Amino acid sequence: MSNLTSKLTEKSAAELIQIQAKGEANAETITKAFLEAIKAKDPKVKSFLLVNEEAALATARSIDLRRSKGEKLGTLAGVPIAVKDNICTKGIITTCGSKILEHFVPPYDAHVTEKLHQADAVILGKTNLDEFAMGSSTENSAYQTTRNPWNLECIPGGSSGGSAAAVAACEAPISLGSDTGGSIRQPASLCGIVGLKPTYGRVSRYGLVAYASSLDQIGTFSHDVTDTALLLNVIAGKDDRDSTCTANEVPDYTANLEVPLKPFTIGVAREYFAGGLDAEVEKSVREALDLLKSRGATIKEISLPHSTYAIATYYLVATAEASSNLARYDGVHYGHRSKNHSNLIDMYSKSRGEGFGSEVKRRILLGNYSLSSGYIDAFYLKALKVRRLIRDDFDKAFADCDVIAGPTAPTCAFKVGEKSSDPLSMYLSDIYTISCNLAGIPGISIPCGFNSKNLPIGLQLLGAPFSEEKLLRIARTYEKETPWHLKRAQIS
Ligand code: GLN
């Protein structure tokens, strides 16, 4: 890789915008640098399922042409971006990491994809994920296992592992992911970058292939908080095609980012520092809290008593919704159709049997079970009641606190294969991220250090509904004082 390439690819989106404004490099040069980085590193990292080289270069060239004519350009003009492969891109295969959608070419763009085009971003390609976003390591992808750029023997987290690793490996400056139970924040934490899950309803889910519709939300990955704000500005806002997407005003998230919030109160939940938390992770998180305290924060110990039920509740709600959402892949409406079948029922069962991987099948079975007559009251409906209690815990906490801070994940990145045969231990990776989705609130993970093996650690900040602006300002207050967001993984 040339010097210019590594210099450009280590920049943030905000810096790439500046570089173009100053005429130091144009969109084509920048796009070529990232494409070259993908060619050099992705055979090892395996972030991308598809790289759209020609379209990316064509977009970049047209942006340069329009700039040379003095035309007004979008806010992300000439900034390359990677998109998780469960977000529809018109005319470009969108597999969801599943064999069942191996040949699916969406006839339309997701709302966020349209927004990226309007902002003149350059879409580099589609990134790997756990099949239908079900997983925490990207090992459930039907195509490949993405590696952690900080240690290629480790997983990058999941399910948006491809999008997280692409940014951490400097193969894209920013990317989009989706978060149903932690799939943005957990991989961001494990890859040493910033990951934001916005409030449920902040970003349209139109064109996001549904996993669990009441929990799914599209969000962002970036090296720093400023880029998160820039990208959120582009994707947030009302869209009539998603009835759960709200008309709440979208502030300019970059406007007050440098203005520290003072005074502010950070809630520290007892339950987030309980058994199972790695000692080195705890140490870094506590140091981050001390730093915020020295910058004007009041630290208040709180309790989220129902968070102990979050994982059980999530695996009832999410699987119930998934079993219903995934019914459409029957080889007729959507998806792979088996070639050797004897009748209609046989065709359904063989198509689904061949097309879905084992984790997806496990979840469809779980979901159908908890929804079936005789069990629905004891499982699914009970879970909905506990979900309400989890939300009530947060409402109470936010009456006194601006944010709740804690670890994003209980451990740093683990080795490929370490947890893949033990679903329960894999499910526990999301112990601190899941209740945020059940409550519909926003959450961000920001880098807060490294362990003794040079693996990144993430600090999670949770906020009240639609408090993204405050969340980002507090995150920026911390980031400004620390070096973590400036570190870049070197891939040998
Ligand atoms: N790991 C969780 C799951 O497997 C969350 C995934 C996600 O947020 N998409 O369901």
Side-chain angles (χ1 to χ4, degrees), residues 400-434:
D400 301 322
C401 301
D402 294 286
V403 290
I404 295 171
T408 306
T411 65
C412 292
F414 43 89
K415 290 259 167 74
V416 171
E418 196 178 315
K419 298 190 180 180
S420 42
S421 55
D422 182 357
L424 190 59
S425 101
M426 189 72 87
Y427 296 174
L428 286 170
S429 318
D430 301 313
I431 188 148
Y432 306 129
T433 49
I434 266 176

Side-chain angles (χ1 to χ4, degrees), residues 191-301:
C191 287
I193 58 172
V194 179
L196 172 78
K197 181 204 96 74
T199 308
Y200 186 78
R202 180 72 296 186
V203 177
S204 169
R205 289 179 294 110
Y206 176 77
L208 168 69
V209 180
Y211 159 17
S213 313
S214 77
L215 303 160
D216 297 339
Q217 191 64 193
I218 293 173
T220 62
F221 289 101
S222 60
H223 290 294
D224 60 35
V225 175
T226 306
D227 280 8
T228 302
L230 269 173
L231 187 49
L232 185 62
N233 275 352
V234 169
I235 60 170
K238 175 100 183 106
D239 171 28
D240 291 332
R241 298 165 298 185
D242 170 4
S243 59
T244 64
C245 184
T246 63
N248 291 17
E249 193 202 333
V250 182
D252 176 353
Y253 293 105
T254 59
N256 295 315
L257 209 50
E258 300 302 326
V259 186
L261 197 74
K262 265 186 188 171
F264 62 102
T265 303
I266 298 179
V268 175
R270 220 170 290 147
E271 293 80 5
Y272 287 8
F273 291 85
L277 176 59
D278 175 88
E280 288 187 280
V281 173
E282 173 163 6
K283 184 167 172 282
S284 287
V285 170
R286 295 230 184 252
E287 281 167 9
L289 293 173
D290 288 344
L291 193 148
L292 283 165
K293 197 171 166 189
S294 73
R295 296 297 178 275
T298 303
I299 309 282
K300 185 174 185 306
E301 195 184 310

